[in-house]
Amino acid sequence: MLPVLFPSFLNAQTLTVKDANTQEPIPVVTISSSEPSVFTTTNENGEAQIERFKGSKEIEIRILGYQTIRRSYTELEANNFLVLLEPVAFDLSDMVISATRWSQSSENIPSKISTVSPEAVRLQNPQTAADLLSISGKVFIQKSQQGGGSPMIRGFATNRLLYTIDGVRMNTAIFRGGNIQNVISLDPYAMESTEVLFGPGSVIYGSDAIGGVMSFQTLTPNFSDDENVQFNGNAAIRYSSANNEQTGHFDLNIGAGKWAFVSSLSSYDYGHLRQGENGPEDYVKPYYVQPQANSDEVILQNDPLLQRPTAYSQFNAMQKIRFKPNNSWEFNYGLHYSETSPYGRYDRHNRLRNELPRYGEWDYGPQKWMMNHLKTEYVSEMGIFDNMSVSLAHQYFEESRISRDFNSTERDLRTEKVDAYSANVDFLKIVSKNNTLYYGFEYVLNEVNSSGVSEEIFTGTTRSGPSRYPDATWESLAAYVNDEFELSDKLTLQGGIRYNHILISADFNTAFYPFPFNEANISNGSVTGSLGAVYRPSESWVINANLSTAFRAPNVDDIGKIFDSSPGSVVVPNPDLSPEYAYNADLGVAHTFGNWLKLDVTGYYTILENAIVRRNFTLNGSDSLMYDGVQSRIQALQNATTASVYGIQAGTELNLNKDIKLSSDFNFQKGEEELDDDSTSPSRHAAPWFGVTRLTYQKEELNLELNSYYQGEKSHQELSVSERDKTEIYALDENGNTYAPSWYTLNFKALYTFQGSYTVSAGLENITNQRYRPYSSGISAPGRNFILSVQVAI
């Protein structure tokens, strides 16, 4: 054994990467070579073993915020394997995962991608993962209740957007077209990075990835960088005044040579949310419903700005294990769990009937999510791939709806449970110095179980009631290939194609509603593709162009749901649905002016054909039925229209000096869809123009930011036809018509780190105490809000 091990020891070579100005080591620097085809990253000490790179004529050394350099192995050896990287004022690229499932530079990706860094999260202190997404300034967040957050991206939302957590698809077969809140199951404290890919992503991710992909990467267990077992972690507490938030978090990393573990626990408790003083009176509901012994009582609030019921709590836990027995194999296992308390759907509590509250109760039951995820990675320098990733996951979702009419003694409980299984096998092959091939296979199975119960609240007796969905299975089988080809140092092409087949089997219960069918079996195949280019005429210019298609196959929510979509109408199942298709074009330009100014702008246009929308419907020849005691107009989801969205995303960064920066993000989108009478309606999920402007100061351990978030107005005529009657959501104009007013907030954030381990962050949000609702929201945003957080690194 010694003759083998001894030469291996002698050949080991360590490269050290440091900041050229501070001489501090830089971790997570990417070091790569195409010949030989190898890559690695630096550890916490800025060190990496590079003996496998020996003989390489070009080794690329890259990290966000520093100038990329390329050196041969001989040149690194001549410099004693020490590299000093120069910081840059602006970087036109980033390291991302969401584009291909593999870590790569965004400089070769034709799609627009935005990242939210851990540093931004620590400064902004988002309460939920939905709030975390809004930090980007490019994602609009709608909320129907405090326990909510439904992203809107480029005029699309809900089941036309895709969520991934550690690369695993989070969308289920019951993701609906109405606003959803599944993203709040994710823990902002447990996030290592967050990315948003704008535009279609169906080649890599399949169904639903029409408007964009939100990719969340959780904490990675870190190995020890020496022979000792290393322990490190963080503990944090936070308070917010607008909802009396009381949050606690703890994470711990244990690292050895080949094994590493990371644990994370977070507890959130939110009181009722107080809105601002200065804004539309239409948003003030000065009462709440309190159940009494024999009836419901309307209680006038002492503080009319308090939005009741909105309080809830949440618990998140994560355990991850990482094992790397050698340089070829790596195994990662993750267990994630999240559960909320029940929480009121505030917009439904605003509904009236006969000048009294419509509901005595309307709550979401506990929202539960659990994921078991095993990922295996293998590195091979020969054969049909260089890197292979196998990902196996099981997720469990549970959600429920609890409703009771005002003064009614009968409570309806509808519960949905989904078991989601997925298997992904992804490959990366460096065909040549200029050509990288990505390909893979995917299988997804969702098992949906839905039940309904009616309960007599005084006696506790129950009986079976109608469920929201049929019991069903939803399956997806897919294969894809994506190729990245560097034509020259200035021009890179990327194109891909995917075939996806969707199978649905559903059994309908006709005991409560006379459906003319008792089962549905759907089999649909879809082909999507993309072709894009990145052109870099100089170091200061980047031009991106991309043509892409996407699809959304009908899911169980589309074909089988029965629910009240609005007062006086009810949506019933329709098993006769087919996929909807999107066709998209993007063009983006970014330019830096020296070290003082960066500008970027992206324009896009998307056409959605065969769109699945709500339309009037008949059931057994009837156009109405009795639902929850109300005679309601029958509607169903149908492939009934064509929709289009176009818009601009623009950003600017201005360095006033080395410590002070001014930046802005601005988003304009407009969409419309055809109606039954051939007229057109504005798209529901195309938000008004919105953006954020930030003035930041950063020097050593102090970070200060003054920012303003803002949104434009949507007049009554600019609202979707389906939104115009929702007086419980929107304000009323001088003519008594609904509209979404414009608004702004002024906010101040500060973060200070001392003694290397202690961080104090504070903020004053909505300084001018505006009363406002983000477009389409059923709850007002927080009024003036003081935030204080203390974090200790251990």
Side-chain angles (χ1 to χ4, degrees):
M1 292 296 292
L2 283 177
V4 176
L5 293 175
F6 189 64
S8 176
F9 173 77
L10 286 178
N11 289 335
Q13 185 57 62
T14 302
L15 177 73
T16 303
V17 183
K18 294 184 177 181
D19 186 297
N21 295 338
T22 67
Q23 299 298 308
E24 292 292 322
I26 308 175
V28 203
V29 176
T30 299
I31 305 167
S32 61
S33 167
S34 57
E35 295 180 4
S37 173
V38 290
F39 81 95
T40 188
T41 58
T42 58
N43 60 22
E44 293 181 354
N45 296 321
E47 298 173 342
Q49 302 300 316
I50 64 164
E51 58 271 10
R52 293 185 299 150
F53 290 78
K54 191 168 184 177
S56 175
K57 295 182 179 180
E58 183 176 274
I59 299 172
E60 183 181 83
I61 302 171
R62 164 195 301 278
I63 189 172
L64 177 66
Y66 291 86
Q67 292 181 5
T68 298
I69 67 169
R70 295 173 177 85
R71 300 285 188 272
S72 68
Y73 188 90
T74 303
E75 290 172 322
L76 294 176
E77 187 176 32
N79 203 44
N80 296 320
F81 295 102
L82 174 65
V83 171
L84 301 178
L85 294 184
E86 294 283 349
V88 295
F90 303 109
D91 200 335
L92 294 177
S93 64
D94 198 354
M95 296 305 296
V96 296
I97 297 175
S98 57
T100 61
R101 294 185 182 271
W102 296 95
S103 180
Q104 65 178 131
S105 171
S106 62
E107 70 176 6
N108 296 323
I109 300 170
S111 298
K112 182 178 180 63
I113 297 178
S114 175
T115 61
V116 180
S117 69
E119 293 77 17
V121 174
R122 283 194 293 270
L123 177 65
Q124 300 299 332
N125 275 302
Q127 292 190 345
T128 68
D131 298 332
L132 186 157
L133 288 167
S134 69
I135 295 174
S136 68
K138 304 176 183 68
V139 178
F140 191 88
I141 300 298
Q142 179 277 350
K143 293 186 179 184
S144 297
Q145 63 280 329
Q146 185 174 207
S150 188
M152 296 183 183
I153 299 176
R154 289 190 171 186
F156 295 100
T158 60
N159 55 17
R160 290 177 180 142
L161 302 176
L162 191 87
Y163 303 78
T164 70
I165 177 73
D166 290 340
V168 177
R169 176 190 181 93
M170 197 177 184
N171 291 43
T172 72
I174 62 170
F175 265 40
R176 55 190 180 272
N179 299 307
I180 59 176
Q181 61 268 8
N182 299 74
V183 72
I184 71 168
S185 292
L186 306 181
D187 183 4
Y189 277 111
M191 293 303 147
E192 191 168 80
S193 66
T194 303
E195 301 171 13
V196 182
L197 183 149
F198 295 91
S202 282
V203 168
I204 303 298
Y205 295 100
S207 179
D208 304 1
I210 291 178
V213 177
M214 291 157 284
S215 173
F216 298 88
Q217 301 295 320
T218 60
L219 298 172
T220 300
N222 292 317
F223 297 117
S224 173
D225 53 17
D226 56 33
E227 296 179 352
N228 300 315
V229 177
Q230 294 184 345
F231 298 81
N232 55 72
N234 298 277
I237 57 173
R238 186 174 65 211
Y239 171 78
S240 299
S241 63
N243 57 1
N244 196 30
E245 178 200 9
Q246 299 175 59
T247 288
H249 167 77
F250 176 77
D251 64 73
L252 175 66
N253 187 95
I254 304 174
K258 295 182 178 181
W259 290 87
F261 308 83
V262 65
S263 306
S264 174
L265 297 172
S266 298
S267 175
Y268 301 87
D269 188 81
Y270 308 108
H272 299 298
L273 181 63
R274 192 177 193 273
Q275 60 185 323
E277 295 181 354
N278 305 308
E281 288 296 321
D282 304 295
Y283 296 160
V284 177
K285 179 175 75 73
Y287 64 87
Y288 64 95
V289 175
Q290 179 68 54
Q292 301 295 334
N294 298 310
S295 64
D296 291 321
E297 183 177 353
V298 178
I299 307 294
L300 291 178
Q301 297 177 180
N302 294 327
D303 182 357
L305 300 181
L306 204 62
Q307 300 176 97
R308 298 185 62 164
T310 55
Y312 80 103
S313 60
Q314 181 169 330
F315 173 75
N316 283 77
M318 181 185 76
Q319 177 64 58
K320 298 180 76 174
I321 303 172
R322 183 182 179 191
F323 175 53
K324 190 171 184 178
N326 52 49
N327 288 329
S328 296
W329 289 94
E330 182 172 320
F331 303 89
N332 285 271
Y333 168 74
L335 170 63
H336 305 257
Y337 183 77
S338 174
E339 182 174 353
T340 71
S341 66
Y343 50 91
R345 178 165 172 178
Y346 189 72
D347 62 341
R348 294 297 175 96
H349 285 271
N350 287 343
R351 288 186 177 178
L352 299 176
R353 186 166 66 181
N354 299 325
E355 298 184 355
L356 288 172
R358 169 72 172 83
Y359 296 102
E361 297 177 64
W362 211 116
D363 299 331
Y364 285 110
Q367 178 173 296
K368 301 177 183 179
W369 170 69
M370 181 177 69
M371 180 172 78
N372 286 277
H373 179 211
L374 176 63
K375 184 177 182 180
T376 303
E377 296 178 286
Y378 176 64
V379 177
S380 169
E381 296 182 9
M382 57 189 299
I384 61 173
F385 63 87
D386 296 322
N387 298 77
M388 177 184 70
S389 172
V390 179
S391 179
L392 305 174
H394 167 252
Q395 298 177 82
Y396 173 77
F397 300 83
E398 182 177 328
E399 60 186 53
S400 55
R401 293 160 178 81
I402 305 162
S403 63
R404 183 177 59 83
D405 287 349
F406 186 74
N407 278 335
S408 172
T409 63
E410 189 169 87
R411 176 189 294 122
D412 293 322
L413 171 64
R414 294 181 174 93
T415 302
E416 283 70 56
K417 300 176 182 179
V418 179
D419 284 288
Y421 305 87
S422 62
N424 292 83
V425 185
D426 299 291
F427 301 94
L428 181 153
K429 177 64 179 177
I430 299 178
V431 181
S432 67
K433 177 182 178 180
N434 300 326
N435 190 11
T436 303
L437 189 68
Y438 308 90
Y439 62 100
F441 307 91
E442 180 183 70
Y443 175 72
V444 179
L445 169 64
N446 281 195
E447 296 178 342
V448 179
N449 177 266
S450 184
S451 61
V453 171
S454 294
E455 178 187 14
E456 169 57 53
I457 62 174
F458 294 126
T459 65
T461 58
T462 61
R463 58 180 174 82
S464 296
S467 63
R468 182 176 172 89
Y469 298 113
D471 287 345
T473 61
W474 183 94
E475 294 178 88
S476 170
L477 303 93
Y480 76 91
V481 61
N482 193 64
D483 190 66
E484 179 185 304
F485 189 79
E486 189 176 333
L487 286 175
S488 68
D489 291 340
K490 296 182 177 181
L491 180 61
T492 300
L493 300 180
Q494 189 167 136
I497 190 169
R498 178 187 183 104
Y499 177 75
N500 215 124
H501 202 87
I502 304 293
L503 300 167
I504 303 179
S505 177
D507 296 317
F508 292 89
N509 185 345
T510 58
F512 298 97
Y513 300 107
F515 303 135
F517 44 81
N518 54 29
E519 66 177 23
N521 293 283
I522 295 178
S523 177
N524 288 313
S526 300
V527 177
T528 53
S530 65
L531 179 63
V534 181
Y535 179 54
R536 292 176 170 266
S538 68
E539 289 292 325
S540 62
W541 283 94
V542 178
I543 302 172
N544 303 322
N546 194 41
L547 299 173
S548 53
T549 64
F551 79 103
R552 188 179 77 82
N555 62 19
V556 176
D557 180 90
D558 296 314
I559 70 163
K561 175 173 59 181
I562 181 164
F563 84 117
D564 58 327
S565 60
S566 61
S569 63
V570 61
V571 173
V572 299
N574 177 18
D576 188 23
L577 290 175
S578 58
E580 52 186 16
Y581 288 89
Y583 304 88
N584 178 79
D586 276 73
L587 180 63
V589 179
H591 182 49
T592 61
F593 299 84
N595 290 327
W596 65 279
L597 180 63
K598 173 185 173 182
L599 299 174
D600 71 84
V601 61
T602 299
Y604 59 89
Y605 184 82
T606 305
I607 296 175
L608 185 67
E609 293 190 345
N610 216 29
I612 300 173
V613 294
R614 278 201 307 261
R615 290 289 185 265
N616 289 337
F617 196 65
T618 59
L619 200 61
N620 295 326
S622 175
D623 63 2
S624 65
L625 61 78
M626 187 67 67
Y627 181 77
D628 278 356
V630 177
Q631 191 70 22
S632 301
R633 181 66 171 90
I634 296 175
Q635 296 182 324
L637 292 170
Q638 303 169 55
N639 296 108
T641 189
T642 297
S644 63
V645 180
Y646 64 89
I648 292 176
Q649 295 174 291
T652 180
E653 296 179 35
L654 174 64
N655 284 335
L656 301 177
N657 61 35
K658 66 177 183 178
D659 302 321
I660 302 176
K661 177 188 292 186
L662 180 66
S663 64
S664 281
D665 285 291
F666 178 81
N667 307 269
F668 170 81
Q669 48 280 313
K670 188 170 184 179
E672 64 178 23
E673 64 181 51
E674 296 176 356
L675 300 178
D676 282 345
D677 60 2
D678 293 328
S679 63
T680 60
S681 167
S683 295
R684 175 187 177 187
H685 291 133
W689 59 260
F690 69 96
V692 59
T693 297
R694 299 184 172 98
L695 179 66
T696 60
Y697 171 85
Q698 187 168 3
K699 189 177 180 71
E700 298 177 349
E701 307 300 334
L702 179 64
N703 193 348
L704 304 176
E705 179 175 301
L706 182 68
N707 67 51
S708 178
Y709 285 81
Y710 37 83
Q711 172 207 288
E713 177 183 307
K714 261 200 182 240
S715 69
H716 183 71
Q717 292 303 315
E718 291 173 321
L719 291 177
S720 169
V721 170
S722 64
E723 295 289 286
R724 293 175 185 173
D725 293 333
K726 296 181 179 179
T727 55
E728 73 271 22
I729 290 178
Y730 297 103
L732 301 179
D733 61 20
E734 62 275 10
N735 298 316
N737 295 320
T738 53
Y739 81 113
S742 61
W743 54 263
Y744 77 94
T745 62
L746 188 63
N747 317 282
F748 177 74
K749 299 294 177 73
L751 182 146
Y752 181 66
T753 302
F754 58 97
Q755 296 183 2
S757 300
Y758 301 92
T759 300
V760 177
S761 60
L764 187 59
E765 297 179 334
N766 196 0
I767 296 173
T768 58
N769 209 16
Q770 298 297 302
R771 182 189 306 140
Y772 71 99
R773 286 185 182 176
Y775 164 72
S776 192
S777 293
I779 185 173
S780 298
R784 187 180 293 123
N785 185 29
F786 173 71
I787 301 170
L788 179 63
S789 174
V790 178
Q791 181 169 316
V792 180
I794 55 177

